Amino acid sequence: MTSISDVTPQLHTLSNGFRIVTEYMPGLQSASIGIWITAGGRHETPEQNGIAHFLEHMAFKGTTSRSALQIAEAIEDVGGYINAYTSREVTAYYARVLQNDVPLALDVISDILLNPVFDDREIEVERGVILQEIGQALDTPDDIIFDWLQAKAYPGQPLGRTILGESDRVNAFGRDDLNRFVTEHYGPGQMILSAAGAVDHDTLVADAEARFGHLEPRDAPSEVLAHFAGGEHRKSKKLEQAHIALAFESPDYRDDAIYAAQIYSVALGGGMSSRLFQEIREKRGLCYTIFAQTGAYADTGMTTIYAGTGPGEVAGLIELTIDELKRATQDMSAEEVARARAQMKAGLLMGLESPSSRAERLARMVQIWGRVPGLEEAVERIDAVTTGDVRAFAEHLAGQAPMAMALYGPVSRAPTLRDVQARRVA
């Protein structure tokens, strides 16, 4: 029987720098295909903040050959779906279709990227949609608090700005602004065509050459390096719950220490058996939701802890959280590390049973490494993390790692960042 780790990714680069990466998955009759572009929120100037996301929306609003409705109908007529997203480091346009409709999906995706019209009327319509999206985020405490946390972690930097942008910026964008961002950031060297499932590599390479091979190479604009500074954002508001988010500087995704950081965050707050869940929710009943996670960027990373609790429990919950960080430096056990390693490996392998997840991983690996490391390599790196490695990262987090904090809701009496820092070193 063919296992999920038996298939081999194939990577090809056109003469202009456009990359195609594919992975055939036996037994599937469908495929996920998309183009990932190294053009996210961190690539914007302050005046452009929110334009990468605006551009993602506008891609579906019409091309020189298809209306917005025809774009949707082209994919949905064959039972597929098409979507996009913007993150701080990439913008992705992707579709999931049956095997015979892969050429159609690539045709539609290439059309929306190469031939957008940016009609003034559609810009106004989509501007209203995005302003509603911004308003919805502001009304969602456990969403907006992470934007505030990011802003305090990386103040005055592209990586610290919100992906959606501020309303006044979004209100000012026009066709020229969209075209300028495309010209600056949508060069062939910034694009990766990734596909997984029932796909043929050679066919996709030929199709990509026909559609993208004519694009002239461009130098990517220089990227502003990130610096985790830290700080506190506090907003008091009459809500049922107080929302608490803490962030600590962590390794970037090319640093080998990222594996120890991720295993640590799983053991600390990654599941029902984790320390924070057991100590704060199960034993003391101080919250319904609490978790920890580690994310990484090209040049920095963040370990984040989030919890929602009642107004009277904020101080106690924060103090207990810091105490758990300190305790992990001394008694993080081999059993906890082994459990976290197993969770990470299972999550990786289970996720890659989906062609959509696999296509995304392929694109991300090519963007980061210029190649696709085998699953065995990823598993080996996870297995190589020792209890000592995890405790060493715990020391970093509990002691000297720069820290950011965001609080929202009935938090006027919550500890200050200075109070929390003092408890860390006490």
Side-chain angles (χ1 to χ4, degrees):
M1 178 182 294
T2 302
S3 75
I4 194 170
S5 61
D6 290 334
V7 289
T8 303
Q10 293 180 274
L11 175 63
H12 181 83
T13 304
L14 303 183
S15 60
N16 61 4
F18 186 96
R19 288 165 288 181
I20 305 100
V21 59
T22 69
E23 193 161 3
Y24 174 69
M25 299 174 68
L28 295 189
Q29 299 184 52
S30 66
S32 181
I33 181 170
I35 293 181
W36 277 255
I37 304 168
T38 308
R42 74 173 304 175
H43 302 99
E44 301 166 340
T45 65
E47 295 74 26
Q48 291 175 325
N49 183 214
I51 202 166
H53 174 255
F54 202 122
L55 184 61
E56 170 220 316
H57 276 242
M58 287 304 302
F60 298 98
K61 302 303 288 186
T63 71
T64 55
S65 60
R66 289 183 173 98
S67 67
L69 179 60
Q70 287 172 331
I71 291 170
E73 287 178 340
I75 298 297
E76 293 182 1
D77 280 352
V78 298
Y81 69 79
I82 188 168
N83 210 337
Y85 69 82
T86 306
S87 72
R88 286 186 165 85
E89 293 194 319
V90 301
T91 302
Y93 304 85
Y94 58 93
R96 177 81 182 271
V97 292
L98 296 177
Q99 180 176 8
N100 291 338
D101 300 313
V102 169
L104 170 67
L106 181 56
D107 180 63
V108 173
I109 292 170
S110 63
D111 191 26
I112 65 177
L113 288 176
L114 298 176
N115 306 305
V117 292
F118 300 145
D119 180 80
D120 286 336
R121 291 170 298 178
E122 294 289 359
I123 288 175
E124 291 307 315
V125 170
E126 211 58 28
R127 191 192 316 280
V129 172
I130 294 170
L131 291 173
Q132 292 295 329
E133 187 176 0
I134 293 171
Q136 179 175 301
L138 291 171
D139 284 343
T140 309
D142 55 355
D143 187 355
I144 193 62
I145 196 170
F146 289 103
D147 279 341
W148 295 339
L149 188 70
Q150 190 88 11
K152 284 301 177 182
Y154 305 102
Q157 303 170 57
L159 198 58
R161 294 194 286 264
T162 172
I163 293 170
L164 298 182
E166 302 293 339
S167 297
D168 58 344
R169 296 290 184 199
V170 172
N171 269 317
F173 293 146
R175 179 189 299 168
D176 290 346
D177 301 298
L178 296 169
N179 281 321
R180 186 177 302 112
F181 193 79
V182 170
T183 299
E184 292 170 347
H185 296 283
Y186 276 50
Q190 285 73 57
M191 295 184 180
I192 300 168
L193 169 62
S194 180
V199 294
D200 180 79
H201 180 76
D202 292 338
T203 299
L204 279 178
V205 168
D207 285 351
E209 178 71 59
R211 298 175 191 280
F212 296 94
H214 69 283
L215 298 178
E216 292 293 328
R218 309 175 197 166
D219 292 331
S222 59
E223 197 168 276
V224 177
L225 296 179
H227 169 68
F228 193 113
E232 176 185 337
H233 181 101
R234 178 187 302 248
K235 183 171 182 178
S236 294
K237 187 174 182 179
K238 188 176 181 181
L239 299 174
E240 288 296 320
Q241 277 207 315
H243 299 266
I244 304 158
L246 310 176
F248 304 85
E249 184 181 33
S250 298
D252 63 69
Y253 49 56
R254 294 189 183 94
D255 189 331
D256 286 343
I258 185 62
Y259 295 96
Q262 290 175 331
I263 287 171
Y264 168 85
S265 63
V266 172
L268 181 71
M272 293 176 63
S273 64
S274 67
R275 290 184 166 218
L276 292 177
F277 192 95
Q278 283 294 314
E279 185 65 29
I280 295 176
R281 173 178 157 150
E282 293 296 281
K283 292 182 181 179
R284 301 174 187 263
L286 295 182
C287 65
Y288 176 72
T289 300
I290 187 166
F291 63 81
Q293 60 188 17
T294 294
Y297 302 103
D299 51 358
T300 186
M302 290 175 63
T303 295
T304 305
I305 300 169
Y306 166 82
T309 191
E313 284 74 45
V314 177
L317 187 147
I318 292 176
E319 290 170 1
L320 282 169
T321 298
I322 297 303
D323 290 348
E324 285 301 313
L325 297 183
K326 295 167 68 175
R327 189 166 69 86
T329 67
Q330 302 296 323
D331 65 358
M332 178 67 72
S333 68
E335 291 77 14
E336 288 175 288
V337 171
R339 186 185 304 120
R341 281 198 301 253
Q343 288 177 266
M344 279 190 63
K345 290 185 289 186
L348 171 65
L349 296 175
M350 289 179 186
L352 294 181
E353 292 180 351
S354 157
S356 297
S357 297
R358 188 165 281 250
E360 183 166 16
R361 176 182 183 268
L362 294 174
R364 190 67 170 153
M365 293 297 99
V366 171
Q367 182 202 13
I368 294 171
W369 299 108
R371 65 184 183 91
V372 181
L375 293 177
E376 296 83 359
E377 182 178 335
V379 169
E380 286 173 2
R381 287 175 179 266
I382 294 170
D383 281 338
V385 175
T386 67
T387 304
D389 295 331
V390 177
R391 286 190 181 180
F393 181 73
E395 285 274 5
H396 168 71
L397 230 64
Q400 300 304 315
M403 177 182 174
M405 181 169 75
L407 303 169
Y408 188 30
V411 296
S412 59
R413 298 182 180 179
T416 65
L417 181 61
R418 180 177 294 182
D419 296 332
V420 176
Q421 296 281 37
R423 193 173 186 91
R424 285 174 76 193
V425 300

Coordinates of all heavy atoms in Angstrom, one line a residue, residues 328-386:
A328 N 7.7 25.4 34.3 CA 8.1 24.5 33.1 C 9.6 24.5 33.0 O 10.2 23.5 32.4 CB 7.5 25.0 31.9
T329 N 10.3 25.5 33.5 CA 11.8 25.5 33.4 C 12.4 24.4 34.3 O 13.5 24.0 34.0 CB 12.3 26.9 33.8 OG1 12.1 27.1 35.2 CG2 11.7 28.0 33.0
Q330 N 11.7 24.0 35.3 CA 12.2 23.0 36.2 C 11.7 21.6 36.1 O 12.4 20.6 36.3 CB 11.9 23.5 37.7 CG 12.5 24.9 38.0 CD 14.0 24.9 37.9 OE1 14.6 24.0 38.3 NE2 14.5 26.0 37.4
D331 N 10.4 21.5 35.7 CA 9.8 20.1 35.8 C 9.1 19.7 34.6 O 8.3 18.8 34.6 CB 8.9 20.0 37.0 CG 7.7 20.9 36.9 OD1 7.6 21.7 35.9 OD2 6.8 20.9 37.8
M332 N 9.4 20.3 33.4 CA 8.8 19.8 32.2 C 9.3 18.4 32.0 O 10.6 18.2 31.9 CB 9.2 20.7 31.0 CG 8.7 20.2 29.6 SD 6.9 20.3 29.4 CE 6.7 22.1 29.3
S333 N 8.5 17.4 31.9 CA 8.9 16.0 32.0 C 9.1 15.5 30.6 O 8.6 16.0 29.6 CB 7.8 15.2 32.7 OG 6.6 15.1 31.9
A334 N 9.8 14.4 30.5 CA 10.0 13.6 29.3 C 8.7 13.1 28.7 O 8.5 13.1 27.5 CB 11.0 12.5 29.5
E335 N 7.8 12.7 29.6 CA 6.5 12.3 29.2 C 5.7 13.4 28.5 O 5.0 13.1 27.4 CB 5.7 11.7 30.3 CG 6.3 10.4 30.9 CD 7.5 10.6 31.8 OE1 7.8 11.8 32.2 OE2 8.2 9.7 32.1
E336 N 5.7 14.6 29.0 CA 5.0 15.7 28.4 C 5.6 16.0 27.0 O 4.9 16.3 26.1 CB 5.1 16.9 29.3 CG 4.3 16.8 30.6 CD 4.5 18.0 31.4 OE1 5.5 18.1 32.1 OE2 3.6 18.9 31.5
V337 N 6.9 16.0 27.0 CA 7.6 16.3 25.7 C 7.3 15.2 24.7 O 7.0 15.5 23.5 CB 9.1 16.4 25.9 CG1 9.9 16.5 24.5 CG2 9.4 17.6 26.8
A338 N 7.3 14.0 25.1 CA 6.9 12.9 24.1 C 5.5 13.0 23.6 O 5.2 12.8 22.5 CB 7.1 11.5 24.8
R339 N 4.6 13.4 24.5 CA 3.2 13.6 24.2 C 3.0 14.7 23.2 O 2.3 14.6 22.2 CB 2.3 13.8 25.4 CG 0.8 13.9 25.1 CD 0.0 14.3 26.3 NE 0.3 13.4 27.4 CZ 0.8 13.7 28.6 NH1 1.1 15.0 28.8 NH2 1.0 12.8 29.5
A340 N 3.7 15.8 23.4 CA 3.7 17.0 22.5 C 4.3 16.6 21.2 O 3.8 17.0 20.1 CB 4.4 18.2 23.1
R341 N 5.4 15.9 21.2 CA 6.0 15.4 19.9 C 5.0 14.6 19.1 O 4.8 14.8 17.9 CB 7.2 14.6 20.1 CG 8.5 15.4 20.4 CD 9.8 14.6 20.2 NE 9.8 13.4 21.1 CZ 10.5 13.3 22.1 NH1 11.3 14.2 22.5 NH2 10.5 12.1 22.8
A342 N 4.3 13.7 19.8 CA 3.3 12.8 19.1 C 2.2 13.7 18.5 O 1.7 13.4 17.4 CB 2.8 11.8 20.1
Q343 N 1.7 14.7 19.3 CA 0.7 15.5 18.8 C 1.1 16.3 17.5 O 0.3 16.5 16.6 CB 0.2 16.5 19.9 CG -0.6 15.9 21.0 CD -0.9 16.9 22.1 OE1 -0.2 17.0 23.1 NE2 -2.0 17.6 21.9
M344 N 2.3 16.8 17.6 CA 2.8 17.5 16.4 C 2.9 16.7 15.2 O 2.5 17.0 14.1 CB 4.2 18.2 16.7 CG 4.1 19.5 17.5 SD 5.8 20.2 17.6 CE 6.1 20.6 15.8
K345 N 3.5 15.5 15.3 CA 3.6 14.6 14.2 C 2.3 14.1 13.7 O 2.1 14.1 12.4 CB 4.5 13.3 14.6 CG 5.9 13.7 14.8 CD 6.8 12.4 15.1 CE 6.5 11.8 16.5 NZ 7.4 10.7 16.8
A346 N 1.4 13.8 14.6 CA 0.0 13.4 14.1 C -0.7 14.5 13.4 O -1.3 14.3 12.4 CB -0.8 12.9 15.3
G347 N -0.6 15.7 13.9 CA -1.2 16.9 13.3 C -0.6 17.1 11.9 O -1.4 17.4 11.0
L348 N 0.7 17.0 11.8 CA 1.3 17.2 10.5 C 0.8 16.1 9.5 O 0.4 16.4 8.4 CB 2.9 17.0 10.6 CG 3.7 17.0 9.3 CD1 3.6 18.3 8.6 CD2 5.2 16.7 9.7
L349 N 0.9 14.9 9.8 CA 0.5 13.8 8.9 C -0.9 13.8 8.6 O -1.4 13.5 7.5 CB 1.0 12.5 9.5 CG 2.5 12.3 9.6 CD1 2.9 11.0 10.3 CD2 3.2 12.4 8.3
M350 N -1.8 14.0 9.6 CA -3.2 14.0 9.4 C -3.6 15.1 8.5 O -4.5 15.0 7.6 CB -4.0 14.1 10.7 CG -3.9 12.8 11.6 SD -4.8 13.1 13.1 CE -4.5 11.6 14.0
G351 N -3.0 16.3 8.7 CA -3.3 17.4 7.9 C -3.0 17.2 6.4 O -3.7 17.7 5.5
L352 N -1.9 16.5 6.2 CA -1.4 16.3 4.8 C -2.2 15.2 4.1 O -1.9 14.9 2.9 CB 0.1 16.0 4.8 CG 0.9 17.2 5.3 CD1 2.4 16.9 5.2 CD2 0.6 18.5 4.5
E353 N -3.2 14.6 4.7 CA -4.1 13.8 3.9 C -5.1 14.6 3.1 O -5.7 14.0 2.2 CB -4.9 12.9 4.9 CG -4.0 11.8 5.6 CD -4.8 11.0 6.6 OE1 -6.0 11.3 6.8 OE2 -4.2 10.0 7.1
S354 N -5.1 15.9 3.3 CA -5.9 16.8 2.5 C -5.1 17.4 1.4 O -4.0 17.9 1.6 CB -6.5 17.9 3.4 OG -6.9 19.0 2.6
P355 N -5.5 17.3 0.1 CA -4.7 18.0 -1.0 C -4.6 19.5 -0.8 O -3.6 20.0 -1.2 CB -5.5 17.6 -2.2 CG -6.9 17.2 -1.8 CD -6.7 16.6 -0.4
S356 N -5.6 20.1 -0.2 CA -5.5 21.5 0.0 C -4.4 21.9 1.0 O -3.6 22.8 0.8 CB -6.9 22.1 0.6 OG -7.9 21.9 -0.4
S357 N -4.3 21.1 2.1 CA -3.3 21.3 3.1 C -1.9 21.0 2.5 O -0.9 21.7 2.8 CB -3.5 20.5 4.3 OG -4.7 20.8 5.0
R358 N -1.9 20.0 1.7 CA -0.6 19.6 1.1 C -0.1 20.6 0.1 O 1.1 21.0 0.1 CB -0.7 18.2 0.4 CG 0.6 17.6 0.0 CD 0.4 16.2 -0.3 NE 0.4 15.4 0.9 CZ 1.5 14.6 1.3 NH1 2.5 14.5 0.5 NH2 1.4 13.9 2.4
A359 N -1.0 21.2 -0.7 CA -0.6 22.2 -1.7 C -0.1 23.4 -0.9 O 0.9 24.0 -1.4 CB -1.8 22.6 -2.6
E360 N -0.8 23.8 0.2 CA -0.3 24.9 0.9 C 1.1 24.7 1.5 O 2.0 25.5 1.5 CB -1.3 25.3 2.0 CG -0.9 26.5 2.8 CD -2.1 27.0 3.7 OE1 -3.0 26.3 3.9 OE2 -2.0 28.2 4.1
R361 N 1.3 23.5 2.0 CA 2.6 23.1 2.6 C 3.7 23.2 1.5 O 4.8 23.7 1.7 CB 2.6 21.8 3.2 CG 4.0 21.4 3.8 CD 4.0 20.0 4.4 NE 5.4 19.7 4.9 CZ 6.3 19.1 4.2 NH1 6.1 18.7 3.0 NH2 7.5 18.9 4.8
L362 N 3.4 22.7 0.3 CA 4.4 22.7 -0.7 C 4.8 24.1 -1.0 O 6.0 24.4 -1.2 CB 3.8 22.0 -2.0 CG 3.4 20.6 -2.0 CD1 2.7 20.2 -3.3 CD2 4.7 19.7 -1.8
A363 N 3.8 25.0 -1.2 CA 4.1 26.4 -1.5 C 4.9 27.0 -0.4 O 5.9 27.8 -0.7 CB 2.8 27.2 -1.8
R364 N 4.5 26.8 0.8 CA 5.2 27.4 2.0 C 6.7 26.9 2.1 O 7.6 27.7 2.3 CB 4.5 27.0 3.3 CG 4.9 27.8 4.5 CD 4.6 29.3 4.4 NE 4.8 30.0 5.6 CZ 5.1 31.3 5.7 NH1 5.2 32.0 4.6 NH2 5.3 31.8 6.9
M365 N 6.9 25.6 1.9 CA 8.3 25.1 1.9 C 9.1 25.6 0.8 O 10.3 25.9 1.1 CB 8.2 23.5 1.8 CG 7.6 22.8 3.0 SD 8.4 23.1 4.6 CE 7.5 24.4 5.3
V366 N 8.6 25.8 -0.4 CA 9.4 26.4 -1.5 C 9.7 27.8 -1.2 O 10.8 28.3 -1.4 CB 8.6 26.2 -2.8 CG1 9.3 27.0 -3.9 CG2 8.5 24.7 -3.2
Q367 N 8.7 28.5 -0.6 CA 9.0 29.9 -0.2 C 10.1 30.0 0.8 O 10.9 30.9 0.7 CB 7.7 30.6 0.3 CG 7.9 32.0 0.6 CD 6.8 32.5 1.6 OE1 6.1 31.7 2.2 NE2 6.7 33.8 1.8
I368 N 10.0 29.2 1.8 CA 11.0 29.2 2.9 C 12.4 28.7 2.5 O 13.4 29.3 2.8 CB 10.5 28.5 4.2 CG1 9.2 29.2 4.7 CG2 11.5 28.4 5.2 CD1 8.5 28.3 5.8
W369 N 12.4 27.5 2.0 CA 13.6 26.8 1.8 C 14.1 26.7 0.3 O 15.3 26.3 0.1 CB 13.5 25.3 2.3 CG 13.2 25.2 3.7 CD1 12.0 24.9 4.3 CD2 14.0 25.5 4.8 NE1 12.0 24.9 5.7 CE2 13.3 25.3 6.0 CE3 15.4 25.9 4.9 CZ2 13.8 25.5 7.3 CZ3 15.9 26.1 6.2 CH2 15.1 25.9 7.4
G370 N 13.2 27.0 -0.6 CA 13.6 26.8 -2.0 C 13.5 25.4 -2.4 O 13.9 25.0 -3.5
R371 N 13.0 24.5 -1.6 CA 12.8 23.1 -1.8 C 11.7 22.6 -0.9 O 11.1 23.3 -0.1 CB 14.1 22.3 -1.6 CG 14.5 22.4 -0.1 CD 15.8 21.7 0.2 NE 16.2 21.6 1.6 CZ 15.9 20.7 2.4 NH1 15.2 19.6 2.0 NH2 16.2 20.7 3.7
V372 N 11.3 21.3 -1.1 CA 10.3 20.7 -0.3 C 11.0 19.6 0.6 O 11.2 18.5 0.1 CB 9.1 20.1 -1.1 CG1 8.1 19.5 -0.1 CG2 8.5 21.2 -2.0
P373 N 11.3 19.9 1.8 CA 11.8 18.9 2.7 C 10.9 17.7 2.8 O 9.6 17.9 2.9 CB 12.0 19.6 4.1 CG 12.0 21.0 3.7 CD 11.1 21.2 2.6
G374 N 11.4 16.5 2.8 CA 10.5 15.3 3.0 C 9.9 15.3 4.3 O 10.4 15.8 5.3
L375 N 8.8 14.6 4.4 CA 8.1 14.4 5.7 C 9.0 13.7 6.7 O 8.9 14.0 7.9 CB 6.8 13.7 5.5 CG 5.7 14.4 4.7 CD1 4.5 13.4 4.5 CD2 5.3 15.7 5.3
E376 N 9.8 12.8 6.2 CA 10.7 12.1 7.1 C 11.7 13.1 7.8 O 12.0 13.0 9.0 CB 11.5 11.1 6.4 CG 10.7 9.9 5.8 CD 10.1 10.3 4.5 OE1 10.3 11.4 4.0 OE2 9.4 9.4 3.9
E377 N 12.1 14.1 7.1 CA 13.0 15.1 7.6 C 12.3 15.9 8.7 O 12.9 16.2 9.7 CB 13.5 16.1 6.5 CG 14.5 17.1 7.0 CD 14.9 18.0 5.8 OE1 14.9 17.5 4.7 OE2 15.4 19.2 6.1
A378 N 11.1 16.3 8.4 CA 10.3 17.1 9.4 C 10.1 16.2 10.7 O 10.3 16.7 11.8 CB 9.0 17.5 8.9
V379 N 9.8 15.0 10.5 CA 9.6 14.1 11.7 C 10.9 13.9 12.5 O 10.9 13.9 13.7 CB 9.0 12.7 11.2 CG1 9.0 11.7 12.4 CG2 7.6 12.9 10.7
E380 N 12.0 13.7 11.7 CA 13.3 13.6 12.4 C 13.6 14.8 13.2 O 14.1 14.7 14.4 CB 14.3 13.3 11.4 CG 14.3 11.9 10.8 CD 15.3 11.8 9.6 OE1 16.0 12.8 9.3 OE2 15.3 10.7 9.0
R381 N 13.3 16.0 12.7 CA 13.6 17.2 13.5 C 12.7 17.3 14.7 O 13.2 17.8 15.8 CB 13.4 18.4 12.6 CG 14.4 18.6 11.5 CD 14.1 19.8 10.6 NE 15.1 20.0 9.6 CZ 16.2 20.8 9.7 NH1 16.3 21.6 10.8 NH2 17.1 20.9 8.7
I382 N 11.5 16.9 14.6 CA 10.6 16.9 15.8 C 11.1 15.9 16.8 O 11.2 16.2 18.0 CB 9.2 16.5 15.4 CG1 8.6 17.7 14.5 CG2 8.3 16.3 16.6 CD1 7.2 17.3 13.9
D383 N 11.5 14.7 16.4 CA 12.0 13.6 17.3 C 13.3 14.0 17.9 O 13.6 13.5 19.0 CB 12.1 12.3 16.5 CG 10.8 11.6 16.3 OD1 9.8 11.9 17.1 OD2 10.7 10.8 15.4
A384 N 14.1 14.8 17.3 CA 15.4 15.2 17.8 C 15.3 16.2 19.0 O 16.3 16.3 19.7 CB 16.2 15.8 16.7
V385 N 14.2 16.8 19.2 CA 14.0 17.7 20.3 C 14.0 16.9 21.6 O 13.2 16.0 21.8 CB 12.7 18.5 20.2 CG1 12.5 19.4 21.4 CG2 12.8 19.4 18.9
T386 N 14.9 17.3 22.5 CA 15.0 16.7 23.8 C 14.2 17.5 24.9 O 13.9 18.6 24.7 CB 16.5 16.6 24.3 OG1 17.0 17.9 24.5 CG2 17.3 15.9 23.2

